[in-house]
C-alpha cells in the first residue's frame, strides 16, 4: 500500500492532471448551474458535491493502472514470490487506491471551500466516511477490470467507455430532474446515481428535508411509487462494495500472471 502512495507523491504530473480535469469541470459547470438553476438553493454546493464524488470515483477506478504496470514490468512476479498471500496483495492494492482517491477528493473539497462550499464538522466527517466507502467500492471494481484486461491500453479504453456515460447519467454535473424522461431508466440502473445522491444529501445538510423535497432535489427517487431514500442509496452502495470486493479478490487469486507479456524496460 505504501508503495503506491509513494508513487503518487513522485508522479506529481499524474496527480495534477487528475485534479485539472475536476477543476475544469468545476469551472465550466459553475456557469451552467448559475444560469440554469436560478431557483435552486445553494447551486454551487450542489455542483461541488457532485464534482467531489466523481473525482473519488474516477481516481479509484483508474488507480488500478498501477497493478497493470506491475504486471507488464515483471514486478508482479517478484511480489508474488514474497511470503504473503494473493488476497493480501489484492487488499493492499485496493486500500492504497482508496486512500489515493480520497486524498484527491479532499483536495477538491478544499478548492470547493474557496468557491463557497460550507461544511459543518459532522457533515465533513460524514463526507469523508462516504468518500472512503465510494473509494473502496470502485477500487475493487477497478482491480477486477484490470485483472480481466491485463493490458493498459485495453484497460484505459474500458475505463473510458464505462466512466463517461455513468458520470453524465449520475446527476453529478447535470441534475437528474433536468434529464429527458427517456433516460431515467438508465439513471436508475446507474450505481453512481446513488453514490451522488447520498453524498449530496450529506453535503447539502438535507437531514430535515421532507421526502417530497428530496425527490425534487434529485437526492431521492420516486420509481413508480417506490421511494429510494438516501439511506437506501447508502445501503445499495454498501452491498455493491461487498460484491465487487468478493469478485476482485477471487479474480486476483485465480489470475494467471505468467501468461502476461512483460517489458523489462518499464520501471
Amino acid at each position: 500500500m505504501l508503495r503506491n502512495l509513494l508513487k503518487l507523491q513522485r508522479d506529481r504530473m499524474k496527480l495534477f492532471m487528475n485534479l485539472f480535469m475536476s477543476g475544469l469541470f468545476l469551472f465550466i459547470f459553475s456557469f451552467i448551474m448559475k444560469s440554469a438553476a436560478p431557483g435552486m438553493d445553494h447551486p454551487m454546493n450542489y455542483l461541488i458535491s457532485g464534482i467531489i464524488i466523481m473525482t473519488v470515483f474516477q481516481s479509484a477506478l483508474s488507480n488500478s493502472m498501477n497493478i497493470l504496470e506491475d504486471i507488464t514490468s515483471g514486478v508482479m512476479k517478484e511480489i508474488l514470490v514474497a511470503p504473503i498471500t494473493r488476497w493480501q496483495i489484492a487488499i493492499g492494492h485496493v486500500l492504497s487506491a482508496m486512500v489515493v482517491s480520497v486524498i484527491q477528493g479532499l483536495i477538491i473539497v478544499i478548492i470547493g471551500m474557496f468557491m463557497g462550499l460550507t461544511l459543518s464538522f459532522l457533515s465533513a466527517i460524514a463526507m469523508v466516511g462516504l468518500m472512503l466507502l465510494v473509494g473502496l467500492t470502485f477500487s475493487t471494481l477497478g482491480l477486477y477490470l484490470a485483472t480481466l484486461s491485463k493490458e493498459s491500453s485495453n484497460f484505459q479504453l474500458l475505463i473510458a467507455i464505462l466512466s463517461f456515460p455513468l458520470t453524465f447519467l449520475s446527476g453529478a454535473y447535470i441534475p437528474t430532474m433536468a434529464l429527458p424522461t427517456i433516460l431515467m431508466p438508465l439513471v436508475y440502473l446507474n450505481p453512481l446515481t446513488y453514490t451522488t445522491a447520498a453524498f449530496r444529501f450529506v453535503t447539502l445538510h438535507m437531514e430535515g428535508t421532507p421526502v417530497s423535497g428530496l425527490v425534487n432535489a434529485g437526492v431521492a427517487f420516486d420509481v413508480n411509487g417506490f421511494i429510494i431514500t438516501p439511506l437506501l442509496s447508502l445501503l445499495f452502495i454498501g452491498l455493491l462494495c461487498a460484491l465487487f470486493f468478493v469478485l476482485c479478490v477471487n479474480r486476483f487469486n485465480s489470475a494467471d500472471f505468467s501468461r502476461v507479456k512483460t517489458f523489462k524496460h518499464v520501471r
Side-chain angles (χ1 to χ4, degrees):
M1 185 172 95
L2 290 177
R3 181 168 166 268
N4 286 336
L5 294 178
L6 288 174
K7 287 174 73 174
L8 173 69
Q9 184 185 10
R10 292 168 182 167
D11 194 356
R12 294 178 183 173
M13 180 56 72
K14 181 179 178 181
L15 176 62
F16 171 78
M17 290 306 295
N18 288 338
L19 295 175
F20 174 77
M21 290 304 297
S22 298
L24 183 64
F25 281 134
L26 190 58
F27 177 74
I28 294 173
F29 283 99
S30 64
F31 291 103
I32 297 175
M33 289 298 290
K34 286 176 181 175
S35 60
M40 180 183 290
D41 294 333
H42 310 297
M44 284 305 294
N45 279 17
Y46 194 92
L47 172 64
I48 292 169
S49 59
I51 299 282
I52 293 168
I53 206 62
M54 286 305 108
T55 301
V56 175
F57 157 70
Q58 291 173 348
S59 174
L61 202 59
S62 61
N63 271 322
S64 289
M65 182 67 73
N66 290 332
I67 205 116
L68 286 171
E69 291 174 355
D70 287 344
I71 294 171
T72 55
S73 65
V75 173
M76 180 54 67
K77 291 181 179 178
E78 298 173 11
I79 295 175
L80 290 175
V81 298
I84 52 176
T85 59
R86 281 196 174 203
W87 66 266
Q88 290 174 314
I89 297 171
I91 290 174
H93 173 78
V94 164
L95 291 179
S96 67
M98 177 190 71
V99 171
V100 169
S101 66
V102 172
I103 290 173
Q104 295 192 13
L106 288 174
I107 293 174
I108 300 299
V109 171
I110 295 170
I111 295 173
M113 293 179 75
F114 284 103
M115 296 182 69
L117 177 68
T118 55
L119 294 173
S120 66
F121 177 75
L122 289 178
S123 63
I125 296 295
M127 282 176 64
V128 173
L130 264 173
M131 284 194 282
L132 287 170
L133 178 60
V134 173
L136 180 62
T137 302
F138 292 102
S139 296
T140 54
L141 176 62
L143 180 57
Y144 179 72
L145 295 177
T147 53
L148 283 179
S149 57
K150 295 183 178 178
E151 290 186 15
S152 58
S153 58
N154 291 342
F155 180 72
Q156 287 176 325
L157 182 60
L158 187 59
I159 292 300
I161 292 173
L162 273 178
S163 62
F164 277 102
L166 290 179
T167 299
F168 283 97
L169 289 173
S170 68
Y173 303 133
I174 303 171
T176 53
M177 51 275 198
L179 293 174
T181 306
I182 195 173
L183 292 178
M184 292 313 290
L186 296 177
V187 170
Y188 296 144
L189 290 173
N190 182 2
L192 285 186
T193 299
Y194 305 105
T195 62
T196 305
F199 192 76
R200 197 162 267 154
F201 175 79
V202 171
T203 309
L204 298 180
H205 317 287
M206 303 185 76
E207 293 80 6
T209 308
V211 172
S212 59
L214 296 177
V215 172
N216 291 334
V219 176
F221 307 97
D222 185 349
V223 184
N224 296 325
F226 179 75
I227 305 297
I228 303 175
T229 63
L231 183 60
L232 285 179
S233 294
L234 185 61
L235 178 62
F236 176 69
I237 301 166
L239 292 175
L240 207 61
C241 180
L243 174 64
F244 288 157
F245 187 84
V246 172
L247 283 176
C248 88
V249 171
N250 284 339
R251 176 65 194 171
F252 193 85
N253 277 335
S254 60
D256 184 4
F257 296 116
S258 64
R259 298 177 62 184
V260 179
K261 187 176 182 179
T262 60
F263 303 91
K264 295 298 184 184
H265 63 283
V266 179
R267 289 291 174 185

